[in-house]
Amino acid sequence: MRVRDLLAPGAPRLRLLAAEEELDRQVSGVMTTDLQDPGRYLHGGELVLTGMLWRTVPADSERFVRTLAAGGAVALAAGEAEVGPVPEDLVEACRRHRMPLLAVPDDIAFGTVTEFIGRQVSADRAADLAALVDRHRLLVSAAGGGGLDAVLDLLGGDLDLDCWVLAPTGAVIAGPADRLSAQDRDQLVRAHLAAQRQRRRPPHRARLAAGTYSLLPAPAPAPASASASSPASAESDAPQSDCPLADWVLAVAGDVTEWTTKRQQLAENLARLVAAERHRRDEGRRLRRRLADEVLALLRHDADPAEIGRTLYASSAMAARYAGSEPESRAEEGSWLVLSAEGTGLPEGTVRAVLEEALGGTSDRALVAGTGTGAVVVVPAPEVPVPADTLRELLAPLEAGLGPEGRITLGVSAPASGAGGLRGALEEARHARRIAASRVGRVCVAGPEELASHVLLLAAVPDEVRRAFRGRLLDKVIAYDLEHQADLVRTLEAFLRSDGSWTRCAGQLHVHVNTLRYRIGRIEELTGRDLSRLEDRVDFYLALELA
């Protein structure tokens, strides 16, 4: 029952004196006390009945109400039989602490109020249990007929229970997307991934500005390289995924650990339904995965573009069937992008599963092929190019689920025209991925705009050659800096950024031009190079890039 039910027809004749705006609070029980400090006996949710015998001076009212608020009491009912009308100082204290205050007339016994609340709470609990039984039955029928959105609409409409199913990137798979901001979704999936990485037992809790949310995993099926999981594993109390980066997340508004046992069972059953839907959708990807693997095999073997085109057309037809439209008759002649991805410190199949979720699931035309710990994606090129930074932001939430050695690096090709251009696009994507791998960060992405620069050449150079080239030019300069506390390396970087301009470089370093000339001369002596020559400047620039 709610506090306002004590003022409804048929209830004891109580008078409301303060905090009318808080009458929707839920009452779970009654406590009768005249102790000055009843805080230790409060568990939260009580309506406190008092004869006000604890009050000797007005200041006692503030102390008493403050204790009730801290203990989680939802309302105060003050009896007027012993000490007369409720004093104004108690009314003011309740207003300050937003504590509903009800006056109990001298002809109304506390037992009458207690009996009324007991009957209401018992009736509510019985109705709640009956409703939960109905919800369980309806959940099963909704899952079979309308998918996850039907289930979540049912819970939201009948129980005011807001739920969302989120991809590991924060995308909304089901649920009212307009009621959960992108920033909140990002924080929720990061909290879930971090908890899964630490192997904490679900449900996980996340506290955001909008309130508390409970997070339950809907595990992805085991990667292809792993043994098939037992069907009974879906029935475990707290399923743990071998591939948490690809899990769906059931986000529920509120803290389910504070719910009744029956309501907690409802949330657990919902998580199982989501996991079953995830498994069903993953089963639907099998044919698309075979097509993706076939395309990759054809590209690796330099197959006839016509043969590749037939596979692309089959993919287009399948996507059109999902969307309820007609396939493009010349899909193989369209413009395509290729993405090459690699995972470090991750189980096989993880990157493939993550990219399938990130690129939209089964309803789009993306073909995601697995390459052990990596993946190759062939996807129609959008009309407006997608910057590499946008892809990186899309995958950024996954950082929370990566272990100490975990990384994901991704390279994107330029658009390729038709099936005949896919082989070159695959090479471009692989080179771009090498560039991404050379950077610092857990999730790194490089795009085609970087392929025309010297970075592509550096990424293709073997590590031992890179180290030798860098050492031959910079080791003596670095050693001199360490021994003499000089600043030659920074001076060299500034000189090259200034295109060899003495005055501009000196201004950037805040030194005299003569000081700059002395430092550059020292670098030339140590290396045997001449920084007035373009060739030597290029060598130094590349060495610094490698460093």
Side-chain angles (χ1 to χ4, degrees):
M1 68 170 290
R2 301 183 185 278
V3 176
R4 68 171 61 255
D5 294 335
L6 289 164
L7 302 171
R13 291 181 294 101
L14 309 184
R15 303 192 315 277
L16 177 66
L17 301 180
E20 181 180 2
E21 69 279 4
E22 300 293 337
L23 294 182
D24 284 327
R25 292 181 176 184
Q26 196 79 25
V27 179
S28 61
V30 184
M31 173 184 173
T32 302
T33 183
D34 273 308
L35 294 173
Q36 289 186 336
D37 184 4
R40 74 186 74 176
Y41 303 109
L42 291 170
H43 301 286
E46 297 94 346
L47 178 135
V48 175
L49 282 167
T50 181
M52 298 184 289
L53 298 178
W54 44 264
R55 181 183 177 276
T56 56
V57 295
D60 291 341
S61 294
E62 168 65 23
R63 182 168 54 253
F64 185 77
V65 176
R66 183 171 62 244
T67 300
L68 298 187
V74 296
L76 173 62
E80 297 179 323
E82 295 288 338
V83 298
V86 177
E88 188 61 29
D89 51 85
L90 181 56
V91 175
E92 288 300 319
C94 286
R95 285 173 180 162
R96 282 193 296 274
H97 291 278
R98 303 174 66 88
M99 177 69 65
L101 175 60
L102 304 169
V104 182
D106 56 8
D107 61 338
I108 301 293
F110 280 1
T112 302
V113 178
T114 301
E115 182 181 354
F116 176 81
I117 294 176
R119 287 198 307 270
Q120 292 293 318
V121 170
S122 296
D124 286 350
R125 285 174 178 166
D128 192 39
L129 290 177
L132 284 172
V133 171
D134 289 339
R135 294 293 83 73
H136 279 262
R137 187 180 68 252
L138 291 172
L139 281 177
V140 174
S141 61
L148 291 178
D149 278 311
V151 174
L152 302 189
D153 285 346
L154 171 69
L155 293 176
D158 286 6
L159 294 181
D160 290 328
L161 185 61
D162 287 336
C163 304
W164 297 264
V165 179
L166 305 177
T169 57
V172 176
I173 295 169
D178 58 335
R179 298 177 65 177
L180 197 62
S181 70
Q183 181 179 3
D184 286 346
R185 297 198 306 269
D186 181 270
Q187 292 184 58
L188 290 177
V189 295
R190 285 177 184 269
H192 167 75
L193 288 170
Q196 287 287 85
R197 180 171 61 82
Q198 297 163 9
R199 308 297 290 180
R200 298 209 303 267
R201 187 180 180 86
H204 314 305
R205 285 171 291 180
R207 290 180 173 84
L208 309 183
T212 299
Y213 294 83
S214 299
L215 308 171
L216 297 96
S225 62
S227 59
S229 60
S230 166
S233 64
E235 299 297 318
S236 63
D237 290 337
Q240 293 288 340
S241 173
D242 291 328
C243 189
L245 282 179
D247 282 357
W248 285 359
V249 186
L250 173 62
V252 182
D255 186 348
V256 301
T257 63
E258 297 180 353
W259 292 359
T260 64
T261 301
K262 291 294 183 181
R263 281 183 173 268
Q264 289 182 14
Q265 290 175 355
L266 180 67
E268 291 168 2
N269 284 346
L270 178 58
R272 292 189 179 100
L273 284 175
V274 174
E277 174 67 12
R278 171 66 193 272
H279 182 71
R280 184 196 66 79
R281 188 173 296 188
D282 200 77
E283 286 293 307
R285 289 184 177 139
R286 284 191 174 188
L287 180 55
R288 292 180 60 77
R289 285 180 167 179
R290 286 203 294 270
L291 289 173
D293 290 339
E294 182 179 343
V295 168
L296 181 57
L298 292 172
L299 290 175
R300 285 174 168 172
H301 291 90
D302 273 336
D304 187 338
E307 189 175 359
I308 299 173
R310 284 192 290 272
T311 307
L312 293 177
Y313 177 78
S315 167
S316 174
M318 183 182 300
R321 185 169 71 251
Y322 278 119
S325 60
E326 291 296 321
E328 299 176 23
S329 59
R330 307 299 296 173
E332 68 274 20
E333 296 182 1
S335 184
W336 300 84
L337 292 180
V338 177
L339 287 68
S340 176
E342 185 64 34
T344 303
L346 302 175
E348 290 190 8
T350 298
V351 174
R352 180 183 203 169
V354 164
L355 290 179
E356 283 175 335
E357 295 301 331
L359 298 175
T362 59
S363 62
D364 61 27
R365 292 171 57 195
L367 291 172
V368 186
T371 60
T373 58
V376 171
V377 183
V378 178
V379 61
E383 294 183 5
V384 179
V386 178
D389 286 348
T390 301
L391 281 174
R392 197 228 169 277
E393 291 175 5
L394 178 67
L395 300 175
L398 301 175
E399 293 173 342
L402 294 169
E405 304 299 325
R407 291 189 78 203
I408 295 177
T409 54
L410 179 69
V412 186
S413 75
S417 180
L422 285 179
R423 176 63 184 160
L426 177 58
E427 289 302 316
E428 284 188 359
R430 285 172 171 167
H431 285 308
R433 197 204 64 76
R434 291 193 192 109
I435 294 171
S438 68
R439 294 175 175 159
V440 176
R442 294 294 188 87
V443 177
C444 297
V445 181
E449 65 277 1
E450 300 176 70
L451 296 177
S453 75
H454 64 280
V455 181
L456 175 60
L457 295 175
L458 296 180
V461 174
D463 287 344
E464 61 272 15
V465 177
R466 291 154 62 98
R467 285 193 296 268
F469 180 78
R470 182 178 63 237
R472 193 173 298 124
L473 279 160
L474 296 180
D475 278 0
K476 291 183 179 179
V477 181
I478 295 172
Y480 187 90
D481 275 351
L482 292 173
E483 182 179 354
H484 299 280
Q485 302 299 306
D487 212 3
L488 298 187
V489 173
R490 190 169 73 93
T491 299
L492 176 60
E493 291 174 335
F495 185 72
L496 295 175
R497 282 198 307 269
S498 302
D499 299 322
S501 168
W502 297 98
T503 54
R504 193 158 69 247
C505 180
Q508 290 178 6
L509 295 174
H510 305 290
V511 299
H512 194 275
V513 171
N514 289 341
T515 301
L516 175 61
R517 291 185 183 277
Y518 170 80
R519 292 181 181 178
I520 295 298
R522 177 60 65 185
I523 293 171
E524 291 174 336
E525 289 177 10
L526 292 169
T527 61
R529 298 299 187 105
D530 182 356
L531 279 165
S532 66
R533 289 166 34 103
L534 175 61
E535 295 88 339
D536 287 343
R537 288 186 187 180
V538 170
D539 284 348
F540 275 119
Y541 177 79
L542 294 177
L544 289 168
E545 285 289 299
L546 290 172

